[in-house]
């Protein structure tokens, strides 16, 4: 029996779906319990705002390095740009040194961060020639000292600190439960757990038993993450983990309306109709305008390609369109091509054709490439 099938058995297909009650992170009351995952090179401000408009209750920024010498680079300053973003503003920091992480936290608080999230979830991130992200889970003492230092630095500012991690370093060293207790003890106020080890990257399937064990063991809110790509999966992950909230990453790429679809299903037990083609056209064209405004013409036209590719994935003519669109070098031509593609699609159908979701796949390569591109 597959991992998912065994979870489905326990989750009960017939339980009434429902979203847990709205939660707080410190003084901040969240709009709902469906979060968009931080994804470097993807969840920039325009995309976060779009997800929030379409039903996500909370969004964390792409990670910002703790390396002071990089804070003034264009990449980091774009990531620290929260203009017009609905609160609470949450900034994720990554690094390997407790003092540097504490300093980075304060730097971001001074620039508007209302919540600081510590990255112990990324499978591959080198900071100062050392592995950061989930690699920190291998060194429990260092991981806890980083959490303690960041909490202590943020406390005088009244800023809560949260942390995102995996289930452990490898199958034989699944220490998320031990770490969760230690993180709670040093004052971490919310824990997000991606149900894979670092060694797995994005391979295999997420498991939710470790998340359920953490939820049962700590008092702070626990967020379940990994492979949630449909309303039914959201219901089942909630049921089998008892988590306080769900975090969705890859399934929101090109499909930011997944949040309202899940929220509707959990509230009513029924499915929303797929979005109108005209609505998707409007959303994507607005997304592109915001994207170009943040990145400018040269970078904007290039970094928008991956988003457009995700929106048209699986649609009739989508693959051929993606290839044509990738050759366009200016924003106006790209924007117009997208408008024309959706106008043509609207002739044959009012609503977006239902396409198979592809959230559950090995995205290790995508993670590394997009994170490295940084936009
Ligand atoms: C392109 C990409 C970039 C990511 N960047 C980050 C990051 O900056 N910080 C982080 O904590 N996790 C990062 N992640 C991991 C996601 O937040 C999430 O934990 C993971 O994708 C599993 O959730 P999903 O199955 O819903 O996608 C990234 C994932 C992808 C695919």
């Amino acid at each position: 029996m597959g991992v998912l099938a065994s979870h489905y058995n326990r989750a009960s297909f017939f339980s009434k779906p429902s979203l847990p009650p709205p939660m707080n992170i410190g003084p901040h009351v969240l709009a709902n319990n469906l979060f968009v995952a931080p994804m470097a090179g993807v969840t920039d401000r325009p995309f976060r705002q779009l997800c929030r408009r379409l039903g996500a209750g909370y969004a964390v920024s792409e990670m910002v390095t703790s390396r002071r010498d990089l804070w003034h680079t264009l990449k980091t300053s774009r990531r620290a740009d929260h203009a017009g973003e609905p609160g609470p503003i949450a900034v994720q920091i990554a690094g390997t040194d407790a003092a540097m992480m504490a300093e980075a936290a304060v730097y971001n608080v001074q620039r508007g961060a209302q919540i600081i999230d510590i990255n112990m979830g990324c499978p591959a991130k080198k900071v100062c020639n050392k592995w950061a992200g989930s690699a920190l889970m291998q060194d429990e003492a260092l991981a806890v000292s980083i959490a303690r230092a960041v909490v202590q630095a943020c406390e005088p500012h009244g800023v809560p600190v949260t942390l995102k991690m995996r289930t452990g370093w490898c199958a034989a060293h699944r220490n998320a439960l031990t770490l969760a207790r230690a993180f709670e003890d040093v004052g971490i106020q919310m824990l997000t757990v991606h149900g894979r080890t670092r060694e797995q990257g994005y391979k295999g399937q997420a498991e939710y038993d470790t998340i359920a064990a953490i939820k049962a063991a700590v008092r702070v809110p626990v967020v379940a993450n990994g492979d949630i790509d449909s309303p039914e999966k959201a219901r089942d992950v909630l049921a089998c983990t008892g988590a306080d909230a769900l975090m969705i990453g890859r399934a929101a790429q090109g499909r930011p309306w997944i949040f309202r679809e899940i929220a509707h299903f959990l509230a009513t037990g029924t499915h929303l109709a797929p979005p109108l083609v005209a609505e998707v056209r409007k959303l994507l064209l607005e997304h592109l305008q915001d994207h170009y405004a943040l990145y400018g013409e040269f970078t904007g036209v290039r970094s928008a390609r991956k988003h457009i590719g995700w929106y048209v994935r699986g649609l009739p003519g989508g693959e051929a369109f993606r290839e044509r669109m990738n050759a366009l070098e200016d924003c106006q031509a790209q924007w117009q091509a997208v408008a024309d593609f959706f106008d043509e699609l609207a002739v044959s159908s009012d609503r977006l054709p239902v396409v198979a979701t592809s959230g559950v796949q090995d995205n290790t390569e995508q993670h590394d490439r997009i994170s490295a591109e940084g936009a």
Side-chain angles (χ1 to χ4, degrees):
M1 185 187 295
V3 180
L4 196 57
S6 71
H7 284 300
Y8 275 161
N9 285 347
R10 268 179 292 145
S12 164
F13 278 110
F14 305 106
S15 59
K16 186 182 175 309
S18 67
L19 207 53
M23 52 176 269
N24 292 24
I25 304 176
H28 308 289
V29 183
L30 306 185
N32 68 36
N33 310 47
L34 298 174
F35 304 169
V36 54
M39 289 183 282
V42 181
T43 51
D44 52 15
R45 177 170 50 78
F47 189 68
R48 291 197 299 274
Q49 281 179 291
L50 187 58
C51 292
R52 294 290 304 266
R53 266 174 58 200
L54 292 169
Y58 179 60
V60 183
S61 76
E62 309 161 273
M63 67 190 157
V64 173
T65 176
S66 61
R67 276 180 55 179
R68 181 189 255 282
D69 57 319
L70 297 178
W71 289 344
H72 298 292
T73 61
L74 190 54
K75 178 164 143 182
T76 301
S77 50
R78 277 197 192 117
R79 288 186 179 182
D81 174 355
H82 302 285
E85 199 171 350
I89 305 296
V91 173
Q92 187 185 67
I93 56 173
T96 55
D97 178 272
M100 281 169 70
M101 287 285 275
E103 195 187 1
V106 172
Y107 175 83
N108 282 287
V109 167
Q110 285 163 349
R111 272 148 199 81
Q114 296 167 298
I115 296 171
I116 293 290
D117 186 58
I118 300 175
N119 180 340
M120 292 196 194
C122 258
K125 182 70 192 169
K126 267 195 166 180
V127 178
C128 294
N129 292 325
K130 288 185 199 149
W131 292 108
S134 50
L136 289 171
M137 296 182 72
Q138 214 180 10
D139 185 341
E140 290 179 11
L142 175 62
V144 176
S145 75
I146 288 176
R148 185 186 294 110
V150 175
V151 168
Q152 284 172 357
C154 289
E155 225 157 39
H157 304 274
V159 168
V161 180
T162 62
L163 187 144
K164 179 163 175 285
M165 63 178 164
R166 288 186 169 229
T167 53
W169 172 259
C170 60
H173 195 59
R174 229 177 242 156
N175 58 346
L177 178 58
T178 308
L179 277 170
R181 291 194 175 105
F183 290 145
E184 179 175 58
D185 285 346
V186 298
I188 293 294
Q189 297 198 31
M190 181 180 84
L191 289 163
T192 301
V193 186
H194 175 190
R196 284 188 176 83
T197 61
R198 184 206 191 243
E199 187 184 55
Q200 276 180 288
Y202 289 87
K203 291 188 177 61
Q205 290 181 326
E207 56 93 5
Y208 306 107
D209 288 344
T210 306
I211 304 177
I214 292 172
K215 171 61 196 162
V218 299
R219 290 175 307 279
V220 293
V222 173
V223 185
N225 169 238
D227 298 349
I228 300 166
D229 61 356
S230 69
E232 286 82 357
K233 186 80 182 266
R235 171 198 61 194
D236 294 337
V237 173
L238 274 177
C240 72
T241 60
D244 301 280
L246 300 176
M247 179 177 274
I248 294 151
R250 291 164 295 165
Q253 294 172 347
R255 203 178 147 206
W257 48 87
I258 191 171
F259 299 99
R260 75 175 180 206
E261 290 180 342
I262 293 176
H264 180 88
F265 180 76
L266 294 177
T268 65
T270 63
H271 286 278
L272 275 180
L276 290 166
V277 172
E279 185 194 11
V280 174
R281 177 189 188 277
K282 184 168 176 292
L283 290 172
L284 174 50
L285 292 177
E286 284 170 7
H287 181 184
L288 290 177
Q289 297 285 20
D290 285 353
H291 189 92
Y292 302 148
L294 182 63
Y295 294 105
E297 172 96 21
F298 183 83
T299 305
V301 73
R302 285 164 182 76
S303 56
R305 288 174 188 154
K306 60 178 177 282
H307 287 284
I308 299 169
W310 289 324
Y311 280 96
V312 304
R313 184 174 47 190
L315 296 180
E319 190 50 32
F321 171 72
R322 199 176 59 81
E323 274 172 31
R324 275 201 322 278
M325 181 271 306
N326 278 346
L328 301 175
E329 298 275 342
D330 75 90
C331 294
Q332 183 51 40
Q334 188 183 60
W335 191 91
Q336 195 55 55
V338 168
D340 295 346
F341 175 83
F342 280 93
D343 283 341
E344 212 169 297
L345 189 62
V347 173
S348 53
S349 75
D350 276 354
R351 294 200 176 267
L352 207 65
V354 177
V355 292
T357 55
S358 53
V360 184
Q361 55 176 237
D362 179 6
N363 285 86
T364 311
E365 188 273 332
Q366 184 204 70
H367 181 124
D368 293 349
R369 183 173 37 79
I370 297 177
S371 299
E373 279 169 12

